[in-house]
Amino acid sequence: MIKNIKWLLLVSLTFTACTEDEEVITYNTSDGQPLTAGSADFSKYVALGDSFAAGFSDNALFIEGQKGSYPAILAQQFALAGGGEFRIPFMADNVGGFAGSTTFTPRLYFNGTAPSSVALPPFNQVSTTTLAPLGGTFNNFGIPGAKSFHLLAPNYGNPSGLGENPPTANPYFVRMATAPAKTVLEDALAQNPTFFSLWIGGNDELGYATAGGDPAVNPLTPQATFTGAYNGLIAQLTAGGRKGVIANLPSVTTLPYFYVIKYDQLKQTDLVDPASGVSLIPLLNAQLYGPLDNALTFLGQGDRINLLSTTGNNPMIIKDETLADLGPQLTAVLIGGGVPAPQATVLGAVFGQVRQTKSTDLICLSASTRIGRNTNLNLDGVVSPLPGNDPTSLDRLGVTFPLPDRYILLPSEVTEIQAATEGYNNTIEAAAAANNLAIVDAEAIMTQLTTTGISGNGFTMTDDFVTGGAFSLDGVHPSPRGYALIANKFLEAINAKYGSNFKGVSYADYRILFPPVL
């Protein structure tokens, strides 16, 4: 026993001596060791991509959003390990959009109940950003709206292409292109980068999705086109053994943009006469829904339209191009039921492929400002054959006139987009493997946001609109904290592939909503 006590005393003295003689240093890195770039060279970093790389947020591009883009955050971290200057093509102000444009509009802010525009009173802010070339060179080549093949397209920065239909140029690249005929990739490679990031392909699927799967508004990029463009980009970016990080694509149909508007969006208060405050439902059922329901039931399609309920919420009416067009038959049945021929003919033409929305339909957030409004050819792509201001006239979108395809993602279109995403991701992942590149699994990140959420630094981010913390007010692009999450995921992939040990940024340093005035 005495011998054992002596050994214990000796061991204790040994540990004490080590503690007193050696100072243990823990570094602010992912592994507590001195910061290293590993095998990567971050001295000249360029970022290529779309609106996510640019820092687009709240439906606009503006200075504070650009400062918080994931490439800007990456560049700040790279600077700690030998990274150089990272030049950004800043917009002129924090309003967003372009001066006088009705397409590229100012950013949104949260007014306490819903997103609102900073261009409206009481803020009355006006964008001062123009198409004037900025001059100089840049490191961030995130181009809002760009698809994969656009990064390789000559004249994508040529202002003359903005007036074509459809446009062949992009106003954001017009501002920063070194010459009108230059491609995005050419200008990026002219910087002689030592490291690159590429996250592209979102708009190849997202443009189609946010257009409600309407190819006339924004077509889905064919798989062969995407594969050819993507592999062409990677071949030039990795020339000479250049290292980089790429990312696959999330399932865009899980974005908040498609879940704010519910299929049973019509509340009882939406279906009242604004003049008298009396419910319009009995009148609508008698004059429109009832006759249509009876006629469609006679044709064996009684599940397309049902009477409106006088309690609770009601579905909207939409055009579903996957349905058989029963226009002529519907007209004949209505006439047989006593509906005057002119009215029956109009109803047949309008409602031949119409049904009420179901829980499997995804309603685009863009429909929020159009439901219940009169049809407008420029906004909606359709116009009622019987326009009118009467609340029961055949001219109220989603109520008496079907919401057009551009506002609805049908289940068949969701399946189509998911298949395209899988194909694009196969191309991206094969490129990462073939070129030994770091890769970010954005698809898995989005899945986690929609299920358990992602936690860090005392915060949990989810895909919930406005309150989830990860997405901005447009329902598609990240919030400042969401961009910090993306940057950290990129850093994790870079650490794993190249042996660097960046810790990443704290989510506590990034807000979830921009204020009305910046």
Side-chain angles (χ1 to χ4, degrees):
M1 175 66 74
I2 293 174
K3 183 177 180 181
N4 289 341
I5 291 174
K6 288 180 179 180
W7 276 111
L8 289 172
L9 178 61
L10 179 60
V11 170
S12 177
L13 289 172
T14 301
F15 280 117
T16 301
C18 289
T19 302
E20 292 176 351
D21 295 340
E22 299 179 9
E23 181 181 0
V24 178
I25 300 176
T26 301
Y27 294 88
N28 189 30
T29 54
S30 62
D31 56 8
Q33 298 300 308
L35 182 62
T36 176
S39 62
D41 178 359
F42 301 114
S43 58
K44 182 65 71 72
Y45 163 52
V46 296
L48 293 93
D50 48 34
S51 52
F52 276 52
F56 202 92
S57 194
D58 295 333
N59 204 40
L61 190 65
F62 50 96
I63 293 173
E64 287 302 310
Q66 291 175 286
K67 289 179 179 178
S69 68
Y70 76 83
I73 297 173
L74 291 181
Q76 292 164 8
Q77 296 293 297
F78 294 164
L80 303 175
E85 181 184 8
F86 189 76
R87 295 177 298 276
I88 299 171
F90 284 117
M91 301 291 278
D93 50 48
N94 279 308
V95 177
F98 288 88
S101 174
T102 57
T103 302
F104 302 92
T105 54
R107 66 182 176 90
L108 303 172
Y109 77 96
F110 189 64
N111 66 10
T113 56
S116 185
S117 173
V118 297
L120 300 176
F123 304 105
N124 199 30
Q125 301 180 56
V126 179
S127 176
T128 58
T129 301
T130 68
L131 296 174
L134 295 173
T137 57
F138 301 96
N139 296 76
N140 191 336
F141 290 89
I143 314 296
K147 298 185 179 185
S148 57
F149 52 89
H150 287 146
L151 302 187
L152 295 162
N155 291 305
Y156 197 52
N158 192 332
S160 65
L162 297 175
E164 297 183 19
N165 187 21
T168 57
N170 184 305
Y172 296 101
F173 189 52
V174 165
R175 298 178 69 241
M176 61 183 294
T178 57
K182 289 289 186 180
T183 70
V184 176
L185 181 61
E186 285 174 337
D187 271 358
L189 292 177
Q191 309 311 307
N192 296 314
T194 60
F195 191 86
F196 73 90
S197 64
L198 175 67
W199 193 10
I200 195 69
N203 288 320
D204 292 80
E205 53 176 350
L206 182 62
Y208 180 69
T210 55
D214 187 343
V217 177
N218 201 326
L220 189 68
T221 300
Q223 178 64 50
T225 301
F226 178 84
T227 298
Y230 198 88
N231 288 339
L233 289 166
I234 291 295
Q236 295 189 58
L237 286 169
T238 58
R242 187 184 294 113
K243 294 179 171 63
V245 58
I246 62 178
N248 66 11
L249 305 173
S251 178
V252 298
T253 55
T254 61
L255 290 169
Y257 183 89
F258 298 104
Y259 296 91
V260 177
I261 309 300
K262 307 301 181 184
Y263 81 97
D264 56 348
Q265 189 68 26
L266 299 178
K267 301 184 289 294
Q268 292 292 310
T269 52
D270 296 325
L271 300 172
V272 298
D273 184 341
S276 65
V278 175
S279 174
L280 293 168
I281 292 178
L283 193 59
L284 289 171
N285 280 340
Q287 294 185 355
L288 181 64
Y289 284 77
L292 285 174
D293 183 27
N294 290 336
L296 288 168
T297 298
F298 180 81
L299 293 170
Q301 299 292 322
D303 60 339
R304 289 193 185 187
I305 291 180
N306 296 306
L307 294 178
L308 294 172
S309 170
T310 56
T311 61
N313 288 8
N314 278 288
M316 296 169 287
I317 53 174
I318 63 171
K319 181 177 180 179
D320 182 346
E321 69 269 20
T322 67
L323 296 177
D325 189 349
L326 300 177
Q329 300 95 312
L330 184 58
T331 296
V333 172
L334 288 170
I335 292 174
V339 177
Q343 181 182 349
T345 300
V346 170
L347 291 176
V350 172
F351 291 93
Q353 288 182 294
V354 169
R355 64 170 172 82
Q356 288 169 312
T357 46
K358 303 176 182 179
S359 59
T360 51
D361 297 315
L362 301 183
I363 319 298
C364 297
L365 185 57
S366 56
S368 63
T369 58
R370 302 302 303 144
I371 296 170
R373 304 293 179 86
N374 290 353
T375 57
N376 182 297
L377 184 61
N378 291 332
L379 295 176
D380 310 310
V382 294
V383 64
S384 171
L386 296 175
N389 292 322
D390 185 286
T392 59
S393 66
L394 201 70
D395 198 23
R396 294 184 67 195
L397 285 167
V399 180
T400 61
F401 192 88
L403 278 173
D405 185 35
R406 66 179 60 187
Y407 297 124
I408 310 292
L409 270 187
L410 305 174
S412 59
E413 293 166 339
V414 171
T415 299
E416 182 184 15
I417 293 166
Q418 289 172 339
T421 303
E422 182 179 356
Y424 298 164
N425 280 345
N426 288 340
T427 295
I428 294 169
E429 289 155 15
N435 295 277
N436 200 29
L437 297 170
I439 183 168
V440 178
D441 192 349
E443 185 175 30
I445 295 169
M446 188 65 203
T447 298
Q448 194 172 353
L449 285 171
T450 60
T451 52
T452 62
I454 298 177
S455 299
N457 309 120
F459 300 93
T460 297
M461 284 174 273
T462 71
D463 69 332
D464 291 338
F465 186 57
V466 178
T467 60
F471 288 92
S472 71
L473 297 174
D474 59 32
V476 172
H477 299 91
S479 67
R481 190 170 294 164
Y483 276 118
L485 167 64
I486 292 171
N488 280 353
K489 294 299 183 182
F490 268 74
L491 290 169
E492 288 175 10
I494 292 168
N495 287 346
K497 175 58 68 173
Y498 301 118
S500 51
N501 59 351
F502 295 104
K503 184 177 182 179
V505 296
S506 172
Y507 301 139
D509 295 333
Y510 296 84
R511 54 190 164 194
I512 62 173
L513 293 175
F514 286 107
V517 178
L518 285 170

